[in-house]
């Protein structure tokens, strides 16, 4: 669809109204597939944060006492609106991220709709302990109640999906929210707020565009009682420290550096093909991406060759998009340029000679556990491969990083697979697959990957607080 001058200006959504920043300041948004500026968004300041938090606090007085059935109906209608506005949401997301439009429409939009519909149903099914007489002459019961105003901060890799994962459980539990999308990718989230507005009281959902200073002002606002963040470890640490000053509840889904254990009893070609497809999806900009492969030494050489062949078939611009920004491209290139002598780029490794921030699908073999590209999250279309000799070594290497979000194990041996699911220090373990999520199961990590869960009933409960009532 042709973009009008009005469409090229993104606005905040505060108290049911679409507004520029009070200061008039804007951030120019760059399409990473072309490198050209295509929209502008508000750079919100303290006055905008105050307005959004005040609107959320006022809406909480009514939204928090609506029935679960009323919240369900609102979320189901929002899900329907997302489907009805699919073309507009695709255009907004693709403009900011450069993702292939067909992949976003086919892979991400259905999951976004499903998240809203799952939490719509979950709103009416909150679990709780049975009432009982735990002391003579008195009956106790447990209430599950909303927390209050939630500050939510989402990343640039999956702008609309991460917003849905945050907004849907918060509203389902009876909270109100102020959500700040990443400063490079606010367009689809701002549009979501506009199309949801007809089904929510003004102020229940507010979207505030801006930069890190906007986020800092938001998380420190006294009306905020819970902070939910998907982002980097650095951001999570800073936010947790800021939240401690006011004892705000914190929910963190942070970085990942997913180990993939490939044993010597797999079908080499089909396993390499599946892992290549998943690893380079979204240009590897995914906290659960299978980017750290541990391969049994008996099949190592054959597997590296198969993986490199399948990686070389991945087409930038068709099978995956660009890096999100010039800064992110430079970060990945720095890691590639700093490889130790023992590591080898088997395929890829170069920026494409075309507009935009595109990098070839890359495989690095011969890495060692202490290498920076093994220990740190690369967040680009880069996969490392290292050897292991036995099961114990594979598990030790897999766990020997500071992250703990996701992992997978590939083997025909069921008992070996079950041992790995128990031994891997991650919040998610896949067996003979990688990357699939479902709304019914939690998505979260351990160690420096954070705490708290997105999706599932666990995700809903994170947005509630318990109250003991004794009669």
């Amino acid at each position: 669809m042709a973009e009008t001058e009005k469409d090229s200006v993104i606005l905040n959504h505060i108290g049911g109204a679409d507004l520029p920043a009070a200061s008039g300041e804007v951030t120019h948004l760059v399409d990473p597939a072309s490198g050209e500026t295509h929209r502008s968004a508000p750079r919100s300041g303290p006055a905008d944060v105050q307005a959004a938090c005040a609107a959320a606090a006022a809406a909480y007085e009514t939204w928090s006492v609506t029935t679960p059935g009323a919240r369900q109906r609102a979320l189901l209608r929002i899900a329907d609106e997302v489907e009805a506005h699919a073309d507009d949401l695709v255009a907004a997301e693709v403009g900011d991220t450069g993702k292939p439009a067909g992949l976003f429409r086919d892979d991400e939009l259905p999951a976004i709709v499903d998240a809203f519909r799952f939490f719509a149903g979950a709103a009416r099914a909150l679990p709780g302990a049975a009432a009982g007489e735990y002391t003579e002459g008195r009956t106790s019961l447990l209430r599950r109640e909303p927390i209050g105003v939630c500050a939510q901060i989402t990343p640039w890799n999956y702008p609309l999906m991460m917003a849905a994962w945050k907004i849907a459980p918060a509203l389902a539990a009876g909270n109100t929210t102020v959500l700040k999308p990443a400063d490079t990718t606010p367009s689809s989230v701002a549009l979501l707020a506009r199309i949801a507005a007809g089904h929510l009281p003004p102020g229940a959902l507010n979207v505030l565009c801006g930069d890190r200073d906007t986020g800092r002002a938001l998380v420190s606002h006294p009306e905020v009682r819970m902070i939910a963040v998907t982002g980097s470890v650095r951001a999570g640490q800073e936010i947790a420290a800021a939240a401690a000053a006011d004892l705000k509840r914190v929910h963190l889904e942070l970085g990942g550096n997913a180990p993939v254990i490939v044993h010597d009893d797999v079908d080499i070609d089909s396993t390499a093909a599946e892992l290549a497809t998943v690893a380079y999806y979204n240009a590897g900009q995914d906290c659960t991406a299978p980017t750290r492969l541990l391969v049994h030494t008996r099949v190592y050489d054959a597997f590296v060759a198969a993986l490199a062949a399948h990686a070389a078939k991945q087409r930038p611009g068709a099978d995956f998009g660009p890096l999100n920004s010039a800064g992110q491209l430079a970060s990945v290139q720095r890691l590639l340029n700093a490889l130790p002598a023992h590591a080898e780029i088997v395929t890829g490794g170069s920026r494409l000679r075309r507009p935009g921030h595109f990098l070839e699908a890359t495989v690095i073999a011969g890495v060692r556990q202490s290498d920076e590209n093994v220990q740190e999250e690369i967040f680009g279309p880069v996969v490392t491969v290292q050897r292991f000799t036995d099961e114990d070594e594979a598990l030790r290497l897999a766990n020997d990083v500071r992250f703990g979000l996701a992992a997978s194990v590939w083997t025909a041996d069921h008992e070996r697979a079950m041992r790995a699911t128990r031994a891997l220090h991650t919040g998610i373990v896949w067996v003979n697959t990688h990357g699939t999520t479902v709304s019914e199961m939690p998505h979260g990590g351990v160690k420096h990957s954070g705490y708290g869960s997105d999706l599932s009933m666990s995700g809903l409960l994170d947005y509630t607080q318990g109250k003991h009532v004794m009669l």
Side-chain angles (χ1 to χ4, degrees):
M1 109 182 146
E3 186 176 79
T4 67
E5 183 177 352
K6 181 179 177 182
D7 293 329
S8 68
V9 179
I10 307 304
L11 297 173
N12 291 328
H13 188 80
I14 300 175
D18 297 316
L19 302 169
S23 66
E25 294 186 23
V26 299
T27 297
H28 295 291
L29 307 179
V30 175
D31 177 354
S34 67
E36 297 180 357
T37 298
H38 71 117
R39 294 189 183 108
S40 67
R43 187 180 300 132
S44 301
D48 307 295
V49 172
Q50 171 58 32
C53 290
Y60 180 76
E61 297 302 315
T62 55
W63 183 251
S64 63
V65 295
T66 55
T67 65
R71 291 179 225 144
Q72 178 193 45
R73 288 190 292 276
L75 290 172
L76 289 174
R77 289 167 182 158
I78 292 170
D80 293 343
E81 293 277 18
V82 170
E83 286 185 325
H85 290 81
D87 290 345
D88 295 338
L89 288 165
V90 169
E93 179 107 355
V94 169
D96 285 356
T97 64
K99 296 178 181 182
L103 292 180
F104 176 71
R105 182 187 294 274
D106 295 342
D107 297 342
E108 296 181 40
L109 265 183
I112 290 163
V113 171
D114 189 68
F116 277 107
R117 289 179 176 153
F118 170 79
F119 283 112
R124 301 184 73 161
L126 272 173
E133 289 69 45
Y134 301 101
T135 189
E136 188 174 348
R138 297 292 178 186
T139 298
S140 289
L141 58 90
L142 179 66
R143 290 178 55 87
R144 302 299 312 183
E145 298 181 341
I147 295 169
V149 175
C150 299
Q152 300 179 313
I153 298 177
T154 52
W156 44 256
N157 57 337
Y158 294 105
L160 191 60
M161 184 181 293
M162 295 300 99
W165 286 15
K166 295 285 189 285
I167 292 166
L171 294 177
N175 303 285
T176 56
T177 183
V178 181
L179 187 143
K180 192 198 86 65
D183 55 353
T184 59
T185 57
S187 301
S188 59
V189 183
L191 178 56
L192 173 65
R194 284 167 51 194
I195 65 177
H199 308 291
L200 297 169
L205 169 59
N206 307 273
V207 169
L208 202 60
C209 304
D211 54 16
R212 289 181 180 179
D213 289 337
T214 311
R216 292 183 179 108
L218 176 58
V219 301
S220 63
H221 195 280
E223 289 286 4
V224 170
R225 296 314 313 153
M226 178 177 174
I227 305 166
V229 180
T230 297
S232 68
V233 173
R234 177 207 55 78
Q237 290 171 326
E238 181 179 337
I239 287 165
D246 197 25
L247 296 178
K248 303 179 195 292
R249 185 179 294 197
V250 180
H251 175 292
L252 301 175
E253 199 274 272
L254 307 177
N257 191 4
V260 177
I261 299 174
V262 180
H263 286 281
D264 60 355
D265 57 352
V266 302
D267 181 279
I268 291 174
D269 190 67
S270 64
T271 302
E274 184 170 349
L275 285 170
T277 299
V278 180
Y280 301 114
Y281 186 87
N282 204 31
Q285 298 168 123
D286 187 319
C287 294
T288 65
T291 56
R292 189 163 60 94
L293 274 57
L294 307 165
V295 180
H296 195 285
T297 189
R298 279 198 289 268
V299 296
Y300 178 87
D301 291 334
F303 189 88
V304 169
L307 181 65
H310 287 290
K313 296 175 185 176
Q314 293 288 312
R315 300 163 298 162
D319 297 314
F320 63 90
L323 279 299
N324 179 253
S325 65
Q328 184 60 23
L329 175 61
S331 175
V332 177
Q333 287 180 308
R334 183 194 67 78
L335 285 171
L336 293 175
N337 293 334
L339 287 178
H342 57 259
E344 175 192 3
I345 295 179
V346 182
T347 190
S350 298
R351 181 179 181 177
L352 269 64
R353 295 182 178 180
R354 57 176 285 184
H357 311 314
F358 289 95
L359 190 70
E360 294 174 317
T362 301
V363 175
I364 305 173
V367 296
R368 298 174 184 169
Q369 190 68 14
S370 60
D371 293 347
E372 182 182 12
N373 51 55
V374 170
Q375 289 295 318
E376 298 301 324
E377 183 178 35
I378 298 174
F379 226 60
V382 180
V383 172
T384 65
V385 194
Q386 60 192 119
R387 298 175 186 267
F388 70 86
T389 56
D390 58 38
E391 182 178 337
D392 288 342
E393 183 186 21
L395 294 169
R396 178 180 61 78
L397 294 172
N399 288 330
D400 184 29
V401 295
R402 62 181 176 139
F403 302 96
L405 180 56
S408 64
V409 57
W410 299 72
T411 179
D413 186 329
H414 178 75
E415 291 185 1
R416 175 193 282 159
M418 293 308 296
R419 288 194 298 270
T421 65
R422 184 170 57 250
L424 288 164
H425 301 162
T426 58
I428 306 163
V429 180
W430 290 286
V431 177
N432 295 329
T433 189
H434 195 110
T436 303
T437 60
V438 292
S439 296
E440 293 83 358
M441 288 290 115
H443 182 98
V446 298
K447 301 194 292 188
H448 277 215
S449 293
Y451 42 81
S453 296
D454 288 318
L455 301 178
S456 80
M457 192 60 73
S458 296
L460 180 61
L461 289 174
D462 277 357
Y463 286 92
T464 69
Q465 55 195 355
K467 179 186 287 182
H468 171 214
V469 178
M470 182 177 280
L471 309 172

